[in-house]
Amino acid sequence: MGPSGSGKTTLLNALAGRLHKNLSGTISFNGLSFSSSLKRRMGFVTQDDVMFPMLTVRESLLFAALLRLPNSMTRIQKIQRADTVLKELGLERCKNTIIGGTFVRGVSGGERKRTSIGYEILVDPSLLYLDEPTSGLDSTTALRILKVLQKNAQVGRGIVATIHQPSSRMFHMFDKLILLSEGYAIFAGYAKDAMDYFSSLSLTPQIAMNPADFLLDLATGTTSDITIPPDLENLITQMDLIPPPYFQRDLVHKYMRRKYMTRLAPEERRAMCEMGNVSKELKDAIKAKQDWASSWWTQFLILFKRTFNERRVDYFSSLKILQAIGVAVLLGLLWWRSKTQTNADIQDQLGLIFYICIFWATFSMWTTLMTFPLERQYLAKERAADMYRLSAYYMSSTVCDCLAELVFPTIFLLILYFMASLRASVGAFFLTLLATFLIGITGQGFGEMFGAATLSLKTAGIIASMFLLVFLLAGGYYVQKMPAFMKWVKYLSFVYYGFRLLQKIQYSPDQIFNCDTTGGCESIANARALQGLPLDSGVQEAWVLVLMAVGYRLISYLCLRRI
């Protein structure tokens, strides 16, 4: 316990193995050095309830159980374990309600906190850390949360919690207390002995006070309505002038630290040294090599289903459907029954083809650009608990996004293709659809790369937009003849290869145009609008897009791995 900024969360993160920078010293548990095997026997509930907002309470616990519980348990047993925890925490009434978030209405704050606790006690940890579990809750809900924790402690589980300012009723529920002040301990021992200890230092309240309020006043150096010992009072009055309040607080802090180091710290150290060693069986179990709770393929399938459940509203939002239909209808009306009889007709049709390319490149990029920045906190929490392999998470996210990408281009082209009278061939239609899929999937990888590299929505949006603008300009429609020193840019542009691929699908050397002239019909390959474009199969462009799609995603994964 301690005031804000006293070091409670920092200490908890250090003990839980979540603080790696600016940390010195050693951490051991019953004489065993901290290790990843030990870490998996711990649970950690953060102050902010980090859970996917679109999953229901039961889905959240169920997916956690399937991912975290060991292979020795069957799927049915894991589901039963999730339902048991649901009942223990009194969450049956809201089990089918989504968690919710800032912009989505869901369960109440107390129910969300209990779900967070259930997320951790599913695996029956030996030690459970909680960072301010009552923060932001009303007194009744906070008391209910602590009763749940007390019940867990009574069955032999160690519960370590930070708390800011508990009521007197909640304060007496805790067994032991560490009181922190500006990063230093000023009391450590049984909570019921705290008042007696400070009374022995002649620090006593002058009015009836909640013990927690009294202790927090001492931790902040506030001595109003508190009797102070003569030796501390002498230090203050020895000054020639009345010291400023911050100087007086500093004297109080130093006094209590000194007393703690001389009176309590030696006893605490002695008690820890006399603590019984952990049993040989438990020590061997902890030191044994710990495998993942489930195989890579199992993790992938579970994460794939969870990802789809979480993102399904976004994947099939009415706004996106209206966008695909609306743009398709608008383009179909603008290019209504377009022709290829003259060079000007072909040039107009190329404008439509290029717009199809840039629309799906941009649409797909923005769809995935936000994925990793928005899911950063969930990924950090679950990876810290060793719930799954990073590769399984990344592949499930990517495959889910790619499959969702198949829906909207299909709707889009079914409307536009025939309105604009593009090449009248079943093969050409399906090849155009496949090429659009490929452009979209490459655009997704492009967006993922910047999202994973920065994990910042604002930064990723700015950088990706700049690169995409350059790629669009070098895509082969706006600039036909580029200076020699700038030609390399187009070879980096996936828009360039996508545009060429779509052109090669729409036009072939056996097509004729310009039949109304005196010279007679010509092969469309001779059209000035297509000058410099060999109308071959387009396999080369397709392979380049495939390699780019894979390359972007490989870079994305390496960025996530590094972070």
mmCIF file of all heavy atoms in Angstrom, residues 462-499:
data_model
loop_
_atom_site.group_PDB
_atom_site.id
_atom_site.type_symbol
_atom_site.label_atom_id
_atom_site.label_comp_id
_atom_site.label_asym_id
_atom_site.label_seq_id
_atom_site.Cartn_x
_atom_site.Cartn_y
_atom_site.Cartn_z
ATOM 1 N N ILE A 462 0.961 7.851 -41.103
ATOM 2 C CA ILE A 462 1.704 8.897 -41.831
ATOM 3 C C ILE A 462 2.736 8.273 -42.773
ATOM 4 O O ILE A 462 2.816 8.620 -43.953
ATOM 5 C CB ILE A 462 2.385 9.850 -40.832
ATOM 6 C CG1 ILE A 462 1.323 10.655 -40.063
ATOM 7 C CG2 ILE A 462 3.346 10.797 -41.551
ATOM 8 C CD1 ILE A 462 1.882 11.484 -38.933
ATOM 9 N N ILE A 463 3.523 7.333 -42.244
ATOM 10 C CA ILE A 463 4.598 6.737 -43.057
ATOM 11 C C ILE A 463 4.022 5.916 -44.209
ATOM 12 O O ILE A 463 4.473 6.022 -45.359
ATOM 13 C CB ILE A 463 5.519 5.868 -42.175
ATOM 14 C CG1 ILE A 463 6.193 6.728 -41.097
ATOM 15 C CG2 ILE A 463 6.579 5.173 -43.027
ATOM 16 C CD1 ILE A 463 7.012 5.933 -40.105
ATOM 17 N N ALA A 464 3.019 5.091 -43.913
ATOM 18 C CA ALA A 464 2.422 4.244 -44.958
ATOM 19 C C ALA A 464 1.785 5.096 -46.055
ATOM 20 O O ALA A 464 1.883 4.761 -47.243
ATOM 21 C CB ALA A 464 1.392 3.302 -44.341
ATOM 22 N N SER A 465 1.138 6.193 -45.675
ATOM 23 C CA SER A 465 0.511 7.073 -46.678
ATOM 24 C C SER A 465 1.551 7.688 -47.610
ATOM 25 O O SER A 465 1.324 7.794 -48.820
ATOM 26 C CB SER A 465 -0.269 8.184 -45.975
ATOM 27 O OG SER A 465 -1.311 7.655 -45.194
ATOM 28 N N MET A 466 2.700 8.064 -47.043
ATOM 29 C CA MET A 466 3.762 8.644 -47.870
ATOM 30 C C MET A 466 4.283 7.635 -48.886
ATOM 31 O O MET A 466 4.429 7.937 -50.072
ATOM 32 C CB MET A 466 4.899 9.131 -46.971
ATOM 33 C CG MET A 466 4.551 10.351 -46.124
ATOM 34 S SD MET A 466 5.839 10.730 -44.910
ATOM 35 C CE MET A 466 7.263 10.924 -45.984
ATOM 36 N N PHE A 467 4.557 6.417 -48.426
ATOM 37 C CA PHE A 467 5.067 5.386 -49.331
ATOM 38 C C PHE A 467 4.026 5.022 -50.384
ATOM 39 O O PHE A 467 4.357 4.827 -51.556
ATOM 40 C CB PHE A 467 5.481 4.147 -48.534
ATOM 41 C CG PHE A 467 6.877 4.204 -47.997
ATOM 42 C CD1 PHE A 467 7.121 4.700 -46.730
ATOM 43 C CD2 PHE A 467 7.957 3.774 -48.758
ATOM 44 C CE1 PHE A 467 8.411 4.760 -46.229
ATOM 45 C CE2 PHE A 467 9.252 3.825 -48.269
ATOM 46 C CZ PHE A 467 9.487 4.332 -47.001
ATOM 47 N N LEU A 468 2.762 4.907 -49.959
ATOM 48 C CA LEU A 468 1.720 4.529 -50.903
ATOM 49 C C LEU A 468 1.547 5.601 -51.984
ATOM 50 O O LEU A 468 1.332 5.280 -53.158
ATOM 51 C CB LEU A 468 0.403 4.312 -50.173
ATOM 52 C CG LEU A 468 -0.765 3.807 -51.026
ATOM 53 C CD1 LEU A 468 -0.427 2.448 -51.649
ATOM 54 C CD2 LEU A 468 -2.046 3.707 -50.205
ATOM 55 N N LEU A 469 1.668 6.867 -51.600
ATOM 56 C CA LEU A 469 1.557 7.952 -52.577
ATOM 57 C C LEU A 469 2.647 7.838 -53.639
ATOM 58 O O LEU A 469 2.386 7.977 -54.843
ATOM 59 C CB LEU A 469 1.655 9.301 -51.863
ATOM 60 C CG LEU A 469 1.598 10.545 -52.752
ATOM 61 C CD1 LEU A 469 0.285 10.599 -53.511
ATOM 62 C CD2 LEU A 469 1.805 11.813 -51.932
ATOM 63 N N VAL A 470 3.863 7.552 -53.210
ATOM 64 C CA VAL A 470 4.971 7.377 -54.159
ATOM 65 C C VAL A 470 4.708 6.184 -55.067
ATOM 66 O O VAL A 470 4.924 6.238 -56.286
ATOM 67 C CB VAL A 470 6.306 7.207 -53.407
ATOM 68 C CG1 VAL A 470 7.437 6.881 -54.373
ATOM 69 C CG2 VAL A 470 6.636 8.457 -52.605
ATOM 70 N N PHE A 471 4.215 5.084 -54.476
ATOM 71 C CA PHE A 471 3.935 3.885 -55.262
ATOM 72 C C PHE A 471 2.823 4.124 -56.281
ATOM 73 O O PHE A 471 2.854 3.579 -57.391
ATOM 74 C CB PHE A 471 3.552 2.726 -54.338
ATOM 75 C CG PHE A 471 4.726 2.140 -53.588
ATOM 76 C CD1 PHE A 471 4.536 1.125 -52.661
ATOM 77 C CD2 PHE A 471 6.016 2.599 -53.799
ATOM 78 C CE1 PHE A 471 5.606 0.574 -51.975
ATOM 79 C CE2 PHE A 471 7.095 2.059 -53.119
ATOM 80 C CZ PHE A 471 6.891 1.046 -52.209
ATOM 81 N N LEU A 472 1.835 4.929 -55.924
ATOM 82 C CA LEU A 472 0.755 5.243 -56.858
ATOM 83 C C LEU A 472 1.270 6.075 -58.029
ATOM 84 O O LEU A 472 0.911 5.834 -59.184
ATOM 85 C CB LEU A 472 -0.366 5.994 -56.143
ATOM 86 C CG LEU A 472 -1.152 5.215 -55.082
ATOM 87 C CD1 LEU A 472 -2.225 6.106 -54.458
ATOM 88 C CD2 LEU A 472 -1.790 3.970 -55.675
ATOM 89 N N LEU A 473 2.111 7.055 -57.723
ATOM 90 C CA LEU A 473 2.661 7.905 -58.787
ATOM 91 C C LEU A 473 3.541 7.101 -59.742
ATOM 92 O O LEU A 473 3.613 7.386 -60.938
ATOM 93 C CB LEU A 473 3.472 9.055 -58.177
ATOM 94 C CG LEU A 473 2.658 10.106 -57.396
ATOM 95 C CD1 LEU A 473 3.594 11.106 -56.729
ATOM 96 C CD2 LEU A 473 1.679 10.824 -58.318
ATOM 97 N N ALA A 474 4.224 6.096 -59.190
ATOM 98 C CA ALA A 474 5.106 5.269 -60.014
ATOM 99 C C ALA A 474 4.389 4.016 -60.534
ATOM 100 O O ALA A 474 5.025 3.101 -61.045
ATOM 101 C CB ALA A 474 6.331 4.838 -59.199
ATOM 102 N N GLY A 475 3.053 3.997 -60.418
ATOM 103 C CA GLY A 475 2.298 2.793 -60.772
ATOM 104 C C GLY A 475 2.145 2.532 -62.248
ATOM 105 O O GLY A 475 1.628 1.494 -62.634
ATOM 106 N N GLY A 476 2.559 3.485 -63.108
ATOM 107 C CA GLY A 476 2.507 3.237 -64.539
ATOM 108 C C GLY A 476 1.365 3.902 -65.270
ATOM 109 O O GLY A 476 1.224 3.716 -66.481
ATOM 110 N N TYR A 477 0.550 4.669 -64.550
ATOM 111 C CA TYR A 477 -0.557 5.341 -65.231
ATOM 112 C C TYR A 477 -0.285 6.838 -65.362
ATOM 113 O O TYR A 477 -0.449 7.416 -66.431
ATOM 114 C CB TYR A 477 -1.864 5.116 -64.470
ATOM 115 C CG TYR A 477 -3.057 5.782 -65.128
ATOM 116 C CD1 TYR A 477 -3.644 5.225 -66.263
ATOM 117 C CD2 TYR A 477 -3.581 6.966 -64.615
ATOM 118 C CE1 TYR A 477 -4.730 5.837 -66.872
ATOM 119 C CE2 TYR A 477 -4.672 7.585 -65.223
ATOM 120 C CZ TYR A 477 -5.241 7.019 -66.356
ATOM 121 O OH TYR A 477 -6.311 7.631 -66.949
ATOM 122 N N TYR A 478 0.143 7.466 -64.269
ATOM 123 C CA TYR A 478 0.368 8.916 -64.302
ATOM 124 C C TYR A 478 1.617 9.281 -65.096
ATOM 125 O O TYR A 478 1.619 10.244 -65.848
ATOM 126 C CB TYR A 478 0.500 9.463 -62.873
ATOM 127 C CG TYR A 478 -0.768 9.318 -62.065
ATOM 128 C CD1 TYR A 478 -0.806 8.479 -60.942
ATOM 129 C CD2 TYR A 478 -1.919 9.996 -62.407
ATOM 130 C CE1 TYR A 478 -1.962 8.343 -60.198
ATOM 131 C CE2 TYR A 478 -3.088 9.857 -61.663
ATOM 132 C CZ TYR A 478 -3.096 9.039 -60.555
ATOM 133 O OH TYR A 478 -4.238 8.903 -59.827
ATOM 134 N N VAL A 479 2.686 8.528 -64.897
ATOM 135 C CA VAL A 479 3.957 8.828 -65.567
ATOM 136 C C VAL A 479 4.342 7.636 -66.439
ATOM 137 O O VAL A 479 4.565 6.539 -65.921
ATOM 138 C CB VAL A 479 5.080 9.118 -64.545
ATOM 139 C CG1 VAL A 479 6.359 9.504 -65.268
ATOM 140 C CG2 VAL A 479 4.657 10.205 -63.570
ATOM 141 N N GLN A 480 4.412 7.869 -67.761
ATOM 142 C CA GLN A 480 4.774 6.794 -68.680
ATOM 143 C C GLN A 480 6.284 6.691 -68.867
ATOM 144 O O GLN A 480 6.840 5.603 -68.912
ATOM 145 C CB GLN A 480 4.103 7.022 -70.039
ATOM 146 C CG GLN A 480 2.582 6.969 -70.004
ATOM 147 C CD GLN A 480 2.051 5.595 -69.649
ATOM 148 O OE1 GLN A 480 2.656 4.585 -69.994
ATOM 149 N NE2 GLN A 480 0.924 5.557 -68.950
ATOM 150 N N LYS A 481 6.937 7.826 -68.991
ATOM 151 C CA LYS A 481 8.386 7.849 -69.226
ATOM 152 C C LYS A 481 9.063 8.544 -68.046
ATOM 153 O O LYS A 481 9.017 9.755 -67.913
ATOM 154 C CB LYS A 481 8.710 8.581 -70.526
ATOM 155 C CG LYS A 481 8.182 7.871 -71.768
ATOM 156 C CD LYS A 481 8.580 8.597 -73.038
ATOM 157 C CE LYS A 481 8.058 7.870 -74.280
ATOM 158 N NZ LYS A 481 8.439 8.572 -75.529
ATOM 159 N N MET A 482 9.655 7.746 -67.197
ATOM 160 C CA MET A 482 10.308 8.284 -66.005
ATOM 161 C C MET A 482 11.781 8.519 -66.298
ATOM 162 O O MET A 482 12.389 7.781 -67.108
ATOM 163 C CB MET A 482 10.153 7.309 -64.823
ATOM 164 C CG MET A 482 8.705 7.045 -64.425
ATOM 165 S SD MET A 482 8.579 5.869 -63.062
ATOM 166 C CE MET A 482 9.311 6.791 -61.734
ATOM 167 N N PRO A 483 12.425 9.502 -65.645
ATOM 168 C CA PRO A 483 13.873 9.700 -65.799
ATOM 169 C C PRO A 483 14.622 8.444 -65.374
ATOM 170 O O PRO A 483 14.177 7.692 -64.492
ATOM 171 C CB PRO A 483 14.167 10.868 -64.850
ATOM 172 C CG PRO A 483 12.856 11.555 -64.651
ATOM 173 C CD PRO A 483 11.809 10.517 -64.769
ATOM 174 N N ALA A 484 15.756 8.223 -65.996
ATOM 175 C CA ALA A 484 16.518 7.002 -65.735
ATOM 176 C C ALA A 484 16.882 6.852 -64.263
ATOM 177 O O ALA A 484 16.881 5.732 -63.724
ATOM 178 C CB ALA A 484 17.785 7.006 -66.587
ATOM 179 N N PHE A 485 17.165 7.992 -63.591
ATOM 180 C CA PHE A 485 17.603 7.911 -62.194
ATOM 181 C C PHE A 485 16.429 7.661 -61.231
ATOM 182 O O PHE A 485 16.636 7.461 -60.024
ATOM 183 C CB PHE A 485 18.356 9.178 -61.784
ATOM 184 C CG PHE A 485 17.543 10.447 -61.896
ATOM 185 C CD1 PHE A 485 16.736 10.879 -60.846
ATOM 186 C CD2 PHE A 485 17.583 11.200 -63.059
ATOM 187 C CE1 PHE A 485 15.998 12.033 -60.959
ATOM 188 C CE2 PHE A 485 16.833 12.373 -63.171
ATOM 189 C CZ PHE A 485 16.043 12.791 -62.121
ATOM 190 N N MET A 486 15.177 7.665 -61.754
ATOM 191 C CA MET A 486 14.017 7.412 -60.896
ATOM 192 C C MET A 486 13.271 6.128 -61.256
ATOM 193 O O MET A 486 12.284 5.778 -60.608
ATOM 194 C CB MET A 486 13.047 8.593 -60.978
ATOM 195 C CG MET A 486 13.516 9.854 -60.274
ATOM 196 S SD MET A 486 13.711 9.611 -58.478
ATOM 197 C CE MET A 486 12.019 9.360 -57.979
ATOM 198 N N LYS A 487 13.732 5.432 -62.270
ATOM 199 C CA LYS A 487 13.020 4.240 -62.727
ATOM 200 C C LYS A 487 12.958 3.141 -61.663
ATOM 201 O O LYS A 487 12.016 2.334 -61.635
ATOM 202 C CB LYS A 487 13.671 3.683 -63.993
ATOM 203 C CG LYS A 487 13.261 4.420 -65.261
ATOM 204 C CD LYS A 487 13.814 3.713 -66.490
ATOM 205 C CE LYS A 487 13.327 4.395 -67.766
ATOM 206 N NZ LYS A 487 13.834 3.737 -68.979
ATOM 207 N N TRP A 488 13.940 3.104 -60.789
ATOM 208 C CA TRP A 488 13.988 2.047 -59.783
ATOM 209 C C TRP A 488 12.775 2.085 -58.846
ATOM 210 O O TRP A 488 12.396 1.063 -58.263
ATOM 211 C CB TRP A 488 15.275 2.151 -58.960
ATOM 212 C CG TRP A 488 15.415 3.484 -58.250
ATOM 213 C CD1 TRP A 488 15.973 4.613 -58.740
ATOM 214 C CD2 TRP A 488 14.959 3.799 -56.930
ATOM 215 N NE1 TRP A 488 15.915 5.628 -57.821
ATOM 216 C CE2 TRP A 488 15.293 5.151 -56.692
ATOM 217 C CE3 TRP A 488 14.313 3.084 -55.925
ATOM 218 C CZ2 TRP A 488 15.002 5.791 -55.496
ATOM 219 C CZ3 TRP A 488 14.025 3.713 -54.736
ATOM 220 C CH2 TRP A 488 14.366 5.057 -54.528
ATOM 221 N N VAL A 489 12.154 3.258 -58.706
ATOM 222 C CA VAL A 489 11.031 3.398 -57.774
ATOM 223 C C VAL A 489 9.871 2.493 -58.182
ATOM 224 O O VAL A 489 9.243 1.847 -57.340
ATOM 225 C CB VAL A 489 10.558 4.873 -57.691
ATOM 226 C CG1 VAL A 489 9.333 4.992 -56.791
ATOM 227 C CG2 VAL A 489 11.678 5.771 -57.200
ATOM 228 N N LYS A 490 9.594 2.437 -59.493
ATOM 229 C CA LYS A 490 8.431 1.658 -59.932
ATOM 230 C C LYS A 490 8.601 0.170 -59.653
ATOM 231 O O LYS A 490 7.616 -0.548 -59.459
ATOM 232 C CB LYS A 490 8.140 1.908 -61.408
ATOM 233 C CG LYS A 490 9.190 1.372 -62.375
ATOM 234 C CD LYS A 490 8.789 1.691 -63.818
ATOM 235 C CE LYS A 490 9.801 1.132 -64.813
ATOM 236 N NZ LYS A 490 9.436 1.473 -66.209
ATOM 237 N N TYR A 491 9.852 -0.305 -59.624
ATOM 238 C CA TYR A 491 10.069 -1.726 -59.367
ATOM 239 C C TYR A 491 9.847 -2.095 -57.896
ATOM 240 O O TYR A 491 9.790 -3.274 -57.545
ATOM 241 C CB TYR A 491 11.469 -2.125 -59.806
ATOM 242 C CG TYR A 491 11.689 -1.923 -61.294
ATOM 243 C CD1 TYR A 491 12.628 -1.018 -61.765
ATOM 244 C CD2 TYR A 491 10.928 -2.622 -62.225
ATOM 245 C CE1 TYR A 491 12.821 -0.816 -63.127
ATOM 246 C CE2 TYR A 491 11.109 -2.435 -63.591
ATOM 247 C CZ TYR A 491 12.053 -1.518 -64.034
ATOM 248 O OH TYR A 491 12.229 -1.325 -65.382
ATOM 249 N N LEU A 492 9.744 -1.077 -57.031
ATOM 250 C CA LEU A 492 9.417 -1.326 -55.623
ATOM 251 C C LEU A 492 7.921 -1.221 -55.358
ATOM 252 O O LEU A 492 7.453 -1.551 -54.277
ATOM 253 C CB LEU A 492 10.153 -0.316 -54.729
ATOM 254 C CG LEU A 492 11.680 -0.315 -54.784
ATOM 255 C CD1 LEU A 492 12.231 0.775 -53.880
ATOM 256 C CD2 LEU A 492 12.229 -1.677 -54.381
ATOM 257 N N SER A 493 7.184 -0.729 -56.358
ATOM 258 C CA SER A 493 5.757 -0.446 -56.181
ATOM 259 C C SER A 493 4.908 -1.669 -56.516
ATOM 260 O O SER A 493 4.915 -2.146 -57.644
ATOM 261 C CB SER A 493 5.356 0.728 -57.075
ATOM 262 O OG SER A 493 3.957 0.880 -57.110
ATOM 263 N N PHE A 494 4.162 -2.159 -55.526
ATOM 264 C CA PHE A 494 3.265 -3.285 -55.812
ATOM 265 C C PHE A 494 2.072 -2.812 -56.660
ATOM 266 O O PHE A 494 1.434 -3.619 -57.346
ATOM 267 C CB PHE A 494 2.795 -3.962 -54.518
ATOM 268 C CG PHE A 494 1.862 -3.150 -53.662
ATOM 269 C CD1 PHE A 494 0.494 -3.295 -53.779
ATOM 270 C CD2 PHE A 494 2.359 -2.256 -52.715
ATOM 271 C CE1 PHE A 494 -0.377 -2.570 -52.982
ATOM 272 C CE2 PHE A 494 1.507 -1.531 -51.907
ATOM 273 C CZ PHE A 494 0.128 -1.682 -52.038
ATOM 274 N N VAL A 495 1.779 -1.521 -56.634
ATOM 275 C CA VAL A 495 0.721 -0.976 -57.491
ATOM 276 C C VAL A 495 1.116 -1.106 -58.966
ATOM 277 O O VAL A 495 0.286 -1.415 -59.824
ATOM 278 C CB VAL A 495 0.445 0.497 -57.133
ATOM 279 C CG1 VAL A 495 -0.631 1.090 -58.057
ATOM 280 C CG2 VAL A 495 0.013 0.623 -55.679
ATOM 281 N N TYR A 496 2.403 -0.896 -59.271
ATOM 282 C CA TYR A 496 2.912 -1.009 -60.642
ATOM 283 C C TYR A 496 2.673 -2.414 -61.182
ATOM 284 O O TYR A 496 2.168 -2.608 -62.301
ATOM 285 C CB TYR A 496 4.402 -0.656 -60.648
ATOM 286 C CG TYR A 496 5.134 -0.973 -61.925
ATOM 287 C CD1 TYR A 496 4.989 -0.176 -63.061
ATOM 288 C CD2 TYR A 496 5.983 -2.077 -61.996
ATOM 289 C CE1 TYR A 496 5.678 -0.475 -64.228
ATOM 290 C CE2 TYR A 496 6.673 -2.384 -63.150
ATOM 291 C CZ TYR A 496 6.520 -1.574 -64.270
ATOM 292 O OH TYR A 496 7.202 -1.870 -65.430
ATOM 293 N N TYR A 497 3.021 -3.431 -60.382
ATOM 294 C CA TYR A 497 2.859 -4.815 -60.837
ATOM 295 C C TYR A 497 1.378 -5.205 -60.892
ATOM 296 O O TYR A 497 0.963 -5.944 -61.791
ATOM 297 C CB TYR A 497 3.620 -5.760 -59.910
ATOM 298 C CG TYR A 497 5.117 -5.557 -59.967
ATOM 299 C CD1 TYR A 497 5.781 -4.879 -58.952
ATOM 300 C CD2 TYR A 497 5.851 -6.034 -61.042
ATOM 301 C CE1 TYR A 497 7.158 -4.675 -59.007
ATOM 302 C CE2 TYR A 497 7.230 -5.842 -61.111
ATOM 303 C CZ TYR A 497 7.869 -5.152 -60.090
ATOM 304 O OH TYR A 497 9.229 -4.944 -60.154
ATOM 305 N N GLY A 498 0.586 -4.704 -59.957
ATOM 306 C CA GLY A 498 -0.844 -5.005 -59.978
ATOM 307 C C GLY A 498 -1.531 -4.407 -61.190
ATOM 308 O O GLY A 498 -2.390 -5.057 -61.820
ATOM 309 N N PHE A 499 -1.167 -3.168 -61.535
ATOM 310 C CA PHE A 499 -1.748 -2.504 -62.699
ATOM 311 C C PHE A 499 -1.378 -3.235 -63.986
ATOM 312 O O PHE A 499 -2.218 -3.469 -64.861
ATOM 313 C CB PHE A 499 -1.278 -1.050 -62.730
ATOM 314 C CG PHE A 499 -1.831 -0.236 -63.858
ATOM 315 C CD1 PHE A 499 -3.178 -0.313 -64.205
ATOM 316 C CD2 PHE A 499 -1.020 0.618 -64.592
ATOM 317 C CE1 PHE A 499 -3.703 0.445 -65.244
ATOM 318 C CE2 PHE A 499 -1.525 1.376 -65.637
ATOM 319 C CZ PHE A 499 -2.873 1.291 -65.962
#
